[in-house]
C-alpha cells in the first residue's frame, strides 16, 4: 500500500510545520494570554467569555493560517466552533424521535 505511506508523509509534514505556521499568530496569542493573566490575578474572577474578543482574534488567525497552508482545495468548514455570545448559553435540544437542533438562550 504505497499510497497509504504517501498520505502519512503528507500528514506528518503538515503536523511538523504547524508550530512554525502558528507562530505568525504571536500578537494575537500574546493579547489573549495577557487577558487571561489579568483575569486570573489575585482578587480577580475568571469568568467564561471574559476574553472572548481576544480568543476570537486568535482563533481567526489560526484558521487563516491553516487554510492558507492547506491551499485552495481546502473547502471544509472551520474546525473550531464559534463561541456563544457573552451572556448566553448554547445547547443541543431534541425531543425523542427528532433531530437535535442548536439553540441559544439570551
Amino acid at each position: 500500500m504505497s499510497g497509504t505511506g504517501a498520505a502519512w508523509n503528507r500528514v506528518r509534514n503538515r503536523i511538523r510545520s504547524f508550530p512554525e505556521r502558528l507562530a505568525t499568530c504571536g500578537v494575537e496569542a500574546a493579547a489573549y494570554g495577557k487577558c487571561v493573566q489579568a483575569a486570573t490575578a489575585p482578587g480577580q474572577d475568571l469568568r467564561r467569555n471574559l476574553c472572548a474578543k481576544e480568543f476570537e482574534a486568535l482563533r481567526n488567525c489560526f484558521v487563516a493560517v491553516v487554510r492558507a497552508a492547506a491551499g485552495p482545495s481546502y473547502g471544509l468548514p472551520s474546525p473550531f466552533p464559534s463561541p456563544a455570545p457573552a451572556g448566553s448559553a448554547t445547547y443541543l435540544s431534541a425531543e425523542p424521535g427528532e433531530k437535535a437542533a442548536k439553540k441559544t438562550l439570551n
Side-chain angles (χ1 to χ4, degrees), residues 29-42 44-46 50-51:
Y32 179 64
K34 286 180 183 178
C35 181
V36 171
Q37 182 181 21
T40 58
Q44 299 297 321
D45 184 25
L46 181 62
L50 186 63
C51 300

Side-chain angles (χ1 to χ4, degrees), residues 1 7 13 18-19 35 44 46 48 56 61 67 76 79 84-85 91:
M1 291 190 177
N13 289 337
F18 220 64
C35 181
Q44 299 297 321
L46 181 62
R48 183 178 178 169
E56 187 66 25
C61 183
R67 285 187 177 159
L76 299 174
Y91 65 96

